[in-house]
Coordinates of all heavy atoms in Angstrom, one line a residue:
M29 N 0.8 -1.2 0.0 CA 0.0 0.0 0.0 C 0.9 1.2 0.0 O 1.9 1.3 0.7 CB -0.9 0.0 1.2 CG -1.8 1.2 1.3 SD -2.9 1.1 2.8 CE -4.4 1.6 2.0
A30 N 0.5 2.2 -0.8 CA 1.2 3.5 -0.9 C 1.1 4.3 0.4 O 0.1 4.3 1.1 CB 0.7 4.3 -2.1
S31 N 2.2 5.0 0.7 CA 2.2 5.9 1.9 C 1.2 7.1 1.7 O 0.8 7.4 0.5 CB 3.6 6.4 2.2 OG 3.9 7.4 1.2
R32 N 0.8 7.7 2.7 CA 0.0 8.9 2.6 C 0.6 9.9 1.7 O -0.1 10.5 0.9 CB -0.3 9.4 4.0 CG -1.2 10.6 4.0 CD -1.6 11.1 5.4 NE -0.7 10.8 6.5 CZ -1.1 10.9 7.8 NH1 -2.4 11.2 8.0 NH2 -0.3 10.6 8.7
A33 N 1.9 10.2 1.9 CA 2.5 11.2 1.1 C 2.5 10.8 -0.4 O 2.2 11.6 -1.3 CB 4.0 11.4 1.5
D34 N 2.7 9.5 -0.7 CA 2.7 9.0 -2.1 C 1.3 9.2 -2.7 O 1.1 9.5 -3.8 CB 3.1 7.5 -2.2 CG 4.6 7.3 -1.9 OD1 5.3 8.3 -2.0 OD2 4.9 6.2 -1.6
R35 N 0.2 8.9 -1.9 CA -1.1 9.1 -2.3 C -1.4 10.5 -2.6 O -2.1 10.9 -3.6 CB -2.1 8.5 -1.3 CG -2.1 7.0 -1.2 CD -3.3 6.4 -0.4 NE -3.5 7.1 0.8 CZ -3.0 6.7 2.0 NH1 -2.1 5.8 2.1 NH2 -3.3 7.4 3.1
I36 N -1.0 11.5 -1.8 CA -1.2 12.9 -2.0 C -0.5 13.3 -3.3 O -1.1 14.0 -4.2 CB -0.7 13.7 -0.8 CG1 -1.6 13.4 0.4 CG2 -0.7 15.2 -1.2 CD1 -1.0 13.9 1.7
V37 N 0.8 13.0 -3.5 CA 1.5 13.4 -4.7 C 0.9 12.7 -5.9 O 0.7 13.4 -6.9 CB 3.0 13.0 -4.6 CG1 3.7 13.1 -5.9 CG2 3.7 13.8 -3.5
G38 N 0.5 11.5 -5.8 CA -0.1 10.8 -6.9 C -1.4 11.4 -7.4 O -1.7 11.5 -8.6
E39 N -2.2 11.8 -6.4 CA -3.5 12.4 -6.7 C -3.3 13.8 -7.4 O -4.0 14.1 -8.4 CB -4.4 12.6 -5.5 CG -5.8 12.8 -5.7 CD -6.5 11.6 -6.3 OE1 -6.1 10.4 -6.1 OE2 -7.5 11.8 -7.1
L40 N -2.4 14.6 -6.9 CA -2.1 15.8 -7.6 C -1.6 15.6 -9.0 O -2.0 16.3 -9.9 CB -1.1 16.6 -6.8 CG -1.6 17.2 -5.4 CD1 -0.4 17.7 -4.6 CD2 -2.7 18.2 -5.7
R41 N -0.7 14.7 -9.2 CA -0.2 14.4 -10.5 C -1.3 13.9 -11.5 O -1.3 14.2 -12.7 CB 1.0 13.4 -10.5 CG 2.2 14.1 -9.9 CD 3.4 13.2 -10.0 NE 4.6 13.9 -9.6 CZ 5.6 13.4 -9.0 NH1 5.6 12.2 -8.6 NH2 6.6 14.2 -8.6
Q42 N -2.2 13.1 -10.9 CA -3.3 12.6 -11.8 C -4.3 13.6 -12.1 O -4.8 13.7 -13.2 CB -4.0 11.4 -11.0 CG -5.1 10.8 -11.8 CD -5.7 9.6 -11.0 OE1 -5.2 9.2 -10.0 NE2 -6.8 9.1 -11.6
Q43 N -4.6 14.5 -11.2 CA -5.7 15.5 -11.4 C -5.2 16.8 -12.1 O -6.0 17.5 -12.7 CB -6.3 15.9 -10.1 CG -7.0 14.7 -9.3 CD -8.1 14.1 -10.1 OE1 -8.9 14.8 -10.8 NE2 -8.2 12.8 -10.1
L44 N -4.0 17.2 -11.9 CA -3.4 18.4 -12.5 C -2.4 18.1 -13.6 O -1.7 17.0 -13.5 CB -2.8 19.3 -11.4 CG -3.8 19.7 -10.3 CD1 -3.0 20.4 -9.2 CD2 -4.9 20.6 -10.9
H45 N -2.1 19.0 -14.5 CA -1.0 18.8 -15.4 C 0.2 19.4 -14.8 O 0.6 20.5 -15.0 CB -1.4 19.6 -16.7 CG -2.6 19.1 -17.4 ND1 -3.8 19.6 -17.2 CD2 -2.8 18.0 -18.2 CE1 -4.7 18.9 -17.9 NE2 -4.1 18.0 -18.5
T46 N 0.8 18.6 -13.9 CA 2.0 19.1 -13.1 C 3.3 18.9 -13.8 O 3.5 17.9 -14.5 CB 2.0 18.4 -11.8 OG1 2.2 17.0 -12.0 CG2 0.8 18.6 -11.0
E47 N 4.1 19.9 -13.6 CA 5.5 19.8 -14.0 C 6.4 19.4 -12.8 O 7.4 18.8 -13.0 CB 6.0 21.1 -14.6 CG 5.5 21.4 -16.0 CD 6.2 22.6 -16.6 OE1 7.3 23.0 -16.1 OE2 5.7 23.1 -17.6
Q48 N 5.9 19.8 -11.6 CA 6.6 19.5 -10.4 C 5.7 19.4 -9.2 O 4.8 20.2 -9.1 CB 7.7 20.5 -10.2 CG 8.6 20.3 -9.0 CD 9.6 21.5 -8.9 OE1 9.2 22.6 -9.1 NE2 10.8 21.1 -8.4
V49 N 5.9 18.4 -8.4 CA 5.2 18.4 -7.1 C 6.2 18.0 -6.0 O 6.9 17.0 -6.1 CB 4.1 17.3 -7.1 CG1 3.4 17.2 -5.8 CG2 3.1 17.6 -8.2
E50 N 6.3 18.9 -5.0 CA 7.2 18.6 -3.9 C 6.4 18.6 -2.6 O 5.6 19.6 -2.4 CB 8.3 19.7 -3.8 CG 9.3 19.7 -4.9 CD 10.2 20.9 -4.8 OE1 10.3 21.6 -3.7 OE2 10.9 21.2 -5.8
L51 N 6.4 17.6 -1.9 CA 5.6 17.5 -0.6 C 6.5 17.2 0.6 O 7.4 16.4 0.5 CB 4.6 16.3 -0.8 CG 3.7 16.1 0.4 CD1 2.6 17.2 0.4 CD2 3.0 14.8 0.4
I52 N 6.3 18.0 1.6 CA 7.0 17.8 2.9 C 6.0 17.5 3.9 O 5.0 18.2 4.1 CB 7.8 19.1 3.2 CG1 8.8 19.4 2.1 CG2 8.4 19.0 4.6 CD1 9.5 20.7 2.3
D53 N 6.3 16.4 4.6 CA 5.4 16.0 5.7 C 5.9 16.6 7.0 O 7.0 16.2 7.5 CB 5.4 14.5 5.8 CG 4.4 13.9 6.8 OD1 3.9 14.7 7.7 OD2 4.1 12.7 6.8
D54 N 5.1 17.5 7.6 CA 5.5 18.2 8.8 C 4.7 17.6 10.0 O 4.7 18.2 11.1 CB 5.3 19.7 8.8 CG 6.3 20.4 7.9 OD1 7.4 19.9 7.8 OD2 5.9 21.4 7.3
S55 N 4.1 16.5 9.9 CA 3.2 15.9 10.9 C 3.9 15.7 12.2 O 3.4 16.0 13.3 CB 2.6 14.6 10.4 OG 1.9 14.8 9.3
H56 N 5.2 15.3 12.2 CA 6.0 15.1 13.4 C 6.1 16.4 14.2 O 6.3 16.3 15.4 CB 7.3 14.5 13.1 CG 8.2 15.4 12.3 ND1 8.0 15.7 10.9 CD2 9.2 16.2 12.7 CE1 8.9 16.5 10.5 NE2 9.7 16.9 11.6
L57 N 6.0 17.5 13.6 CA 6.1 18.8 14.3 C 4.9 19.2 15.1 O 4.9 20.1 15.9 CB 6.4 19.9 13.3 CG 7.7 19.8 12.5 CD1 7.8 20.9 11.5 CD2 8.9 19.8 13.5
H58 N 3.8 18.4 14.9 CA 2.5 18.7 15.5 C 2.0 17.6 16.4 O 0.8 17.5 16.6 CB 1.5 19.0 14.3 CG 1.9 20.2 13.5 ND1 1.6 21.5 13.8 CD2 2.6 20.2 12.4 CE1 2.1 22.3 12.9 NE2 2.8 21.5 12.0
A59 N 2.9 16.8 16.9 CA 2.5 15.7 17.8 C 1.7 16.3 19.0 O 2.1 17.3 19.6 CB 3.7 15.0 18.3
G60 N 0.6 15.7 19.3 CA -0.2 16.2 20.4 C -1.3 17.3 20.0 O -2.2 17.6 20.7
H61 N -1.1 17.8 18.8 CA -2.1 18.8 18.3 C -3.4 18.1 18.0 O -3.4 16.9 17.6 CB -1.4 19.5 17.0 CG -2.3 20.5 16.4 ND1 -3.2 20.2 15.4 CD2 -2.4 21.8 16.5 CE1 -3.8 21.3 14.9 NE2 -3.3 22.3 15.6
A62 N -4.5 18.8 18.1 CA -5.8 18.2 17.8 C -5.9 17.5 16.5 O -6.4 16.4 16.4 CB -6.9 19.2 18.0
G63 N -5.3 18.1 15.5 CA -5.4 17.5 14.1 C -4.5 16.3 14.0 O -4.8 15.4 13.2
A64 N -3.5 16.2 14.8 CA -2.6 15.0 14.8 C -3.3 13.9 15.5 O -3.0 12.7 15.1 CB -1.3 15.4 15.4
R65 N -4.1 14.1 16.5 CA -4.7 13.1 17.3 C -5.7 12.2 16.5 O -5.9 11.1 16.7 CB -5.4 13.6 18.5 CG -4.4 14.0 19.6 CD -5.1 14.3 20.9 NE -5.9 15.5 20.8 CZ -5.5 16.7 21.3 NH1 -4.4 16.8 22.0 NH2 -6.3 17.8 21.2
D66 N -6.3 12.9 15.5 CA -7.2 12.1 14.7 C -6.6 11.4 13.5 O -7.3 10.8 12.7 CB -8.4 13.0 14.2 CG -8.0 14.0 13.1 OD1 -6.8 14.0 12.7 OD2 -8.8 14.8 12.7
G67 N -5.3 11.4 13.4 CA -4.5 10.6 12.5 C -4.2 11.3 11.1 O -3.5 10.8 10.3
R68 N -4.8 12.5 11.0 CA -4.5 13.3 9.8 C -3.2 14.0 9.9 O -2.7 14.3 11.0 CB -5.6 14.2 9.4 CG -6.9 13.4 9.1 CD -8.1 14.3 8.8 NE -8.4 15.2 9.9 CZ -9.0 16.4 9.8 NH1 -9.2 16.9 8.6 NH2 -9.3 17.1 10.8
G69 N -2.6 14.4 8.8 CA -1.2 15.0 8.8 C -1.2 16.4 8.4 O -2.1 17.0 7.9
H70 N 0.0 17.0 8.7 CA 0.3 18.4 8.3 C 1.3 18.4 7.2 O 2.4 17.8 7.4 CB 0.9 19.1 9.6 CG -0.1 19.4 10.6 ND1 -0.6 18.3 11.4 CD2 -0.7 20.5 11.1 CE1 -1.4 18.8 12.3 NE2 -1.5 20.1 12.1
F71 N 1.1 19.1 6.1 CA 1.9 19.0 5.0 C 2.2 20.4 4.4 O 1.4 21.3 4.5 CB 1.3 18.1 3.9 CG 1.1 16.7 4.3 CD1 -0.1 16.3 4.8 CD2 2.1 15.8 4.2 CE1 -0.4 15.0 5.3 CE2 1.8 14.5 4.6 CZ 0.6 14.1 5.1
R72 N 3.3 20.5 3.7 CA 3.6 21.6 2.8 C 3.8 21.1 1.4 O 4.4 20.0 1.2 CB 4.9 22.3 3.2 CG 4.8 23.1 4.5 CD 6.1 23.8 4.8 NE 7.0 22.8 5.4 CZ 8.4 22.9 5.3 NH1 8.9 23.9 4.6 NH2 9.1 22.0 5.8
V73 N 3.2 21.7 0.4 CA 3.3 21.3 -1.0 C 3.6 22.4 -1.9 O 3.2 23.6 -1.7 CB 2.0 20.5 -1.4 CG1 0.8 21.5 -1.6 CG2 2.2 19.8 -2.7
R74 N 4.5 22.2 -2.9 CA 4.8 23.1 -3.9 C 4.4 22.4 -5.2 O 4.9 21.3 -5.5 CB 6.3 23.5 -3.9 CG 6.7 24.5 -5.0 CD 8.2 24.8 -4.9 NE 8.6 25.8 -5.7 CZ 9.0 25.7 -7.0 NH1 9.1 24.4 -7.5 NH2 9.4 26.7 -7.7
V75 N 3.5 23.0 -6.0 CA 3.0 22.4 -7.2 C 3.2 23.4 -8.3 O 2.8 24.6 -8.2 CB 1.5 22.1 -7.1 CG1 1.0 21.5 -8.4 CG2 1.1 21.3 -5.9
V76 N 3.8 22.9 -9.4 CA 4.0 23.7 -10.6 C 3.1 23.1 -11.7 O 3.3 21.9 -12.0 CB 5.5 23.8 -11.1 CG1 5.6 24.5 -12.3 CG2 6.4 24.3 -9.9
S77 N 2.2 23.9 -12.2 CA 1.2 23.4 -13.2 C 0.7 24.5 -14.1 O 0.4 25.6 -13.6 CB 0.0 22.8 -12.5 OG -1.0 22.4 -13.4
A78 N 0.6 24.2 -15.3 CA 0.0 25.2 -16.3 C -1.5 25.4 -16.0 O -2.1 26.4 -16.4 CB 0.2 24.7 -17.7
D79 N -2.1 24.5 -15.2 CA -3.5 24.7 -14.8 C -3.7 25.9 -14.0 O -4.9 26.4 -13.9 CB -4.0 23.4 -14.1 CG -4.0 22.2 -14.9 OD1 -4.0 22.3 -16.1 OD2 -4.1 21.1 -14.3
F80 N -2.7 26.5 -13.4 CA -2.8 27.7 -12.5 C -2.8 29.0 -13.3 O -3.1 30.0 -12.7 CB -1.8 27.7 -11.5 CG -1.8 26.5 -10.6 CD1 -0.6 25.9 -10.2 CD2 -2.9 26.0 -10.0 CE1 -0.5 24.8 -9.4 CE2 -2.9 24.9 -9.2 CZ -1.7 24.3 -8.8
A81 N -2.5 28.9 -14.6 CA -2.5 30.2 -15.4 C -3.8 30.9 -15.4 O -4.9 30.3 -15.5 CB -2.1 29.8 -16.8
G82 N -3.7 32.2 -15.1 CA -4.9 33.0 -15.1 C -5.7 33.0 -13.8 O -6.8 33.6 -13.7
L83 N -5.3 32.1 -12.8 CA -6.0 32.0 -11.6 C -5.4 32.8 -10.5 O -4.2 32.9 -10.4 CB -6.1 30.5 -11.1 CG -6.8 29.5 -12.1 CD1 -6.7 28.1 -11.5 CD2 -8.2 29.9 -12.4
R84 N -6.2 33.4 -9.6 CA -5.7 34.1 -8.4 C -5.2 33.0 -7.4 O -5.6 31.8 -7.5 CB -6.8 34.9 -7.8 CG -7.3 36.1 -8.7 CD -8.3 37.0 -8.0 NE -9.2 36.3 -7.2 CZ -10.5 36.0 -7.6 NH1 -10.9 36.3 -8.8 NH2 -11.3 35.4 -6.8
T85 N -4.5 33.5 -6.4 CA -4.0 32.5 -5.4 C -5.1 31.7 -4.8 O -4.9 30.5 -4.7 CB -3.2 33.3 -4.3 OG1 -2.2 34.0 -4.9 CG2 -2.6 32.4 -3.3
I86 N -6.2 32.3 -4.4 CA -7.2 31.5 -3.7 C -7.8 30.5 -4.7 O -8.1 29.4 -4.3 CB -8.3 32.4 -3.1 CG1 -9.3 31.6 -2.3 CG2 -9.1 33.1 -4.2 CD1 -9.2 31.8 -0.9
Q87 N -7.9 30.8 -5.9 CA -8.5 29.9 -6.9 C -7.5 28.7 -7.1 O -7.9 27.6 -7.3 CB -8.7 30.6 -8.3 CG -9.8 31.6 -8.2 CD -9.9 32.4 -9.4 OE1 -8.9 32.9 -9.9 NE2 -11.1 32.6 -9.9
R88 N -6.2 29.0 -7.1 CA -5.2 27.9 -7.2 C -5.3 27.0 -6.1 O -5.3 25.8 -6.2 CB -3.8 28.5 -7.3 CG -3.6 29.3 -8.6 CD -2.2 30.0 -8.5 NE -2.1 30.9 -9.7 CZ -0.9 31.3 -10.2 NH1 0.2 30.9 -9.6 NH2 -0.8 32.1 -11.2
H89 N -5.4 27.5 -4.9 CA -5.5 26.7 -3.7 C -6.8 25.9 -3.7 O -6.8 24.7 -3.4 CB -5.5 27.6 -2.4 CG -4.2 28.2 -2.1 ND1 -3.8 28.6 -0.9 CD2 -3.1 28.4 -2.9 CE1 -2.6 29.1 -0.9 NE2 -2.1 28.9 -2.2
Q90 N -7.9 26.4 -4.1 CA -9.2 25.7 -4.3 C -9.0 24.6 -5.2 O -9.5 23.5 -5.0 CB -10.3 26.6 -4.7 CG -10.7 27.6 -3.6 CD -11.6 28.7 -4.0 OE1 -11.7 29.0 -5.2 NE2 -12.4 29.3 -3.1
L91 N -8.3 24.8 -6.3 CA -8.0 23.7 -7.3 C -7.2 22.6 -6.7 O -7.5 21.4 -6.9 CB -7.3 24.3 -8.5 CG -7.1 23.4 -9.7 CD1 -8.3 22.7 -10.2 CD2 -6.4 24.1 -10.8
V92 N -6.2 22.9 -5.9 CA -5.4 21.9 -5.2 C -6.3 21.1 -4.3 O -6.3 19.9 -4.3 CB -4.2 22.5 -4.5 CG1 -3.6 21.5 -3.6 CG2 -3.2 23.1 -5.5
Y93 N -7.2 21.8 -3.5 CA -8.1 21.1 -2.5 C -9.0 20.2 -3.3 O -9.2 19.0 -2.9 CB -8.9 22.1 -1.7 CG -8.1 23.0 -0.8 CD1 -8.4 24.3 -0.6 CD2 -7.0 22.5 0.0 CE1 -7.7 25.2 0.2 CE2 -6.3 23.3 0.8 CZ -6.6 24.6 1.0 OH -5.9 25.4 1.8
R94 N -9.6 20.7 -4.4 CA -10.5 19.8 -5.1 C -9.8 18.6 -5.7 O -10.3 17.5 -5.8 CB -11.2 20.6 -6.3 CG -12.3 21.5 -5.8 CD -13.1 22.0 -7.0 NE -12.4 22.7 -8.0 CZ -12.0 24.0 -8.0 NH1 -12.4 24.7 -7.0 NH2 -11.3 24.5 -9.0
S95 N -8.6 18.8 -6.2 CA -7.8 17.8 -6.8 C -7.5 16.7 -5.7 O -7.4 15.5 -6.1 CB -6.5 18.3 -7.3 OG -6.7 19.2 -8.4
L96 N -7.3 17.0 -4.5 CA -7.0 16.1 -3.4 C -8.3 15.4 -2.9 O -8.2 14.3 -2.3 CB -6.3 16.8 -2.3 CG -4.9 17.2 -2.6 CD1 -4.3 18.1 -1.5 CD2 -4.0 16.0 -2.9
G97 N -9.5 15.9 -3.2 CA -10.7 15.3 -2.9 C -10.8 14.7 -1.5 O -10.6 15.4 -0.5
E98 N -11.1 13.5 -1.4 CA -11.4 12.8 -0.1 C -10.2 12.8 0.8 O -10.3 12.8 2.0 CB -11.8 11.3 -0.4 CG -12.2 10.6 0.8 CD -13.5 11.0 1.4 OE1 -14.3 11.7 0.7 OE2 -13.7 10.7 2.6
L99 N -9.0 12.9 0.2 CA -7.8 13.0 1.1 C -7.8 14.2 2.0 O -7.2 14.1 3.1 CB -6.5 13.0 0.2 CG -6.2 11.7 -0.5 CD1 -5.0 12.0 -1.5 CD2 -5.9 10.6 0.4
M100 N -8.5 15.2 1.6 CA -8.6 16.4 2.5 C -9.4 16.1 3.7 O -9.2 16.7 4.8 CB -9.3 17.6 1.7 CG -8.4 18.2 0.7 SD -6.8 18.9 1.3 CE -7.3 20.0 2.6
Q101 N -10.3 15.1 3.7 CA -11.1 14.7 4.8 C -10.5 13.6 5.6 O -10.7 13.5 6.8 CB -12.5 14.3 4.3 CG -13.2 15.3 3.5 CD -13.4 16.6 4.3 OE1 -13.7 16.7 5.4 NE2 -13.1 17.7 3.6
T102 N -9.7 12.7 5.0 CA -9.2 11.5 5.6 C -7.8 11.5 6.0 O -7.4 10.8 7.0 CB -9.4 10.3 4.7 OG1 -8.7 10.5 3.5 CG2 -10.9 10.1 4.4
D103 N -6.9 12.3 5.3 CA -5.5 12.2 5.5 C -4.8 13.5 5.8 O -3.7 13.5 6.4 CB -4.8 11.6 4.2 CG -5.1 10.2 4.0 OD1 -6.3 9.8 3.7 OD2 -4.2 9.3 4.3
I104 N -5.5 14.6 5.5 CA -4.8 15.9 5.6 C -5.6 16.8 6.6 O -6.7 17.1 6.5 CB -4.7 16.6 4.3 CG1 -4.0 15.8 3.3 CG2 -4.1 18.0 4.4 CD1 -4.1 16.2 1.8
H105 N -4.8 17.2 7.7 CA -5.4 18.2 8.6 C -5.1 19.6 8.2 O -5.9 20.5 8.3 CB -4.9 17.9 10.0 CG -5.4 18.9 11.0 ND1 -6.7 19.0 11.5 CD2 -4.7 20.0 11.6 CE1 -6.8 20.0 12.3 NE2 -5.6 20.6 12.4
A106 N -3.8 19.8 7.8 CA -3.3 21.2 7.4 C -2.5 21.0 6.2 O -1.7 20.1 6.1 CB -2.6 21.8 8.6
L107 N -2.6 22.0 5.3 CA -1.9 21.9 4.0 C -1.5 23.4 3.7 O -2.3 24.2 3.4 CB -2.7 21.3 2.9 CG -2.1 21.2 1.5 CD1 -0.9 20.2 1.6 CD2 -3.1 20.8 0.5
S108 N -0.2 23.6 3.6 CA 0.4 24.9 3.2 C 0.7 24.7 1.7 O 1.4 23.7 1.3 CB 1.6 25.2 4.0 OG 2.3 26.3 3.4
I109 N 0.2 25.6 0.8 CA 0.3 25.4 -0.6 C 1.1 26.6 -1.2 O 0.8 27.7 -1.0 CB -1.1 25.4 -1.2 CG1 -1.9 24.3 -0.7 CG2 -1.0 25.3 -2.8 CD1 -3.4 24.3 -1.1
V110 N 2.1 26.2 -2.1 CA 2.7 27.1 -3.0 C 2.3 26.6 -4.4 O 2.7 25.5 -4.8 CB 4.2 27.2 -2.9 CG1 4.8 28.1 -4.0 CG2 4.6 27.7 -1.5
A111 N 1.5 27.4 -5.2 CA 1.0 26.9 -6.5 C 1.5 27.9 -7.5 O 1.1 29.1 -7.5 CB -0.5 26.8 -6.4
L112 N 2.3 27.4 -8.4 CA 2.9 28.3 -9.4 C 2.7 27.8 -10.8 O 2.6 26.6 -11.1 CB 4.5 28.3 -9.2 CG 5.0 28.8 -7.8 CD1 6.4 28.5 -7.7 CD2 4.6 30.2 -7.6
T113 N 2.7 28.7 -11.8 CA 2.7 28.3 -13.2 C 4.1 28.0 -13.6 O 5.1 28.4 -12.8 CB 2.2 29.4 -14.1 OG1 3.1 30.5 -14.0 CG2 0.8 29.9 -13.7
P114 N 4.4 27.3 -14.7 CA 5.7 27.0 -15.1 C 6.6 28.3 -15.2 O 7.7 28.3 -14.8 CB 5.6 26.2 -16.4 CG 4.3 25.5 -16.2 CD 3.4 26.6 -15.5
D115 N 6.0 29.3 -15.8 CA 6.7 30.6 -16.0 C 7.1 31.2 -14.6 O 8.2 31.7 -14.5 CB 5.9 31.6 -16.8 CG 5.8 31.2 -18.3 OD1 6.7 30.4 -18.7 OD2 4.9 31.7 -18.9
E116 N 6.2 31.1 -13.7 CA 6.5 31.7 -12.3 C 7.6 30.9 -11.6 O 8.3 31.4 -10.8 CB 5.2 31.7 -11.5 CG 4.2 32.7 -12.0 CD 2.8 32.5 -11.3 OE1 2.6 31.4 -10.8 OE2 2.0 33.4 -11.4
A117 N 7.7 29.6 -11.9 CA 8.6 28.7 -11.2 C 10.1 28.9 -11.8 O 11.0 28.5 -11.1 CB 8.2 27.3 -11.4
R118 N 10.2 29.4 -13.0 CA 11.5 29.6 -13.6 C 12.2 30.8 -13.0 O 11.9 31.7 -12.5 CB 11.3 29.8 -15.1 CG 11.0 28.6 -15.8 CD 11.0 28.8 -17.3 NE 10.4 27.6 -17.9 CZ 9.1 27.4 -18.2 NH1 8.2 28.3 -17.8 NH2 8.7 26.3 -18.8

């Protein structure tokens, strides 16, 4: 079975036209926190995708949340997002 991090990265790659996805699991920094007690994790993600072109920051974040679907309810408590177009990432 794939790890939680692998499932998150895989879902982003499947749902978005990504050039790059970098995920950092910060869950260990939140031990004892309410979100950690229910088994969900804290993550930072950097996603580079042409799908973000023409979107404001909030729209990019909403697209990432929608792309992760059920994982937002079952695996992720907190997610810090950097969402860039390929031109912005260069």
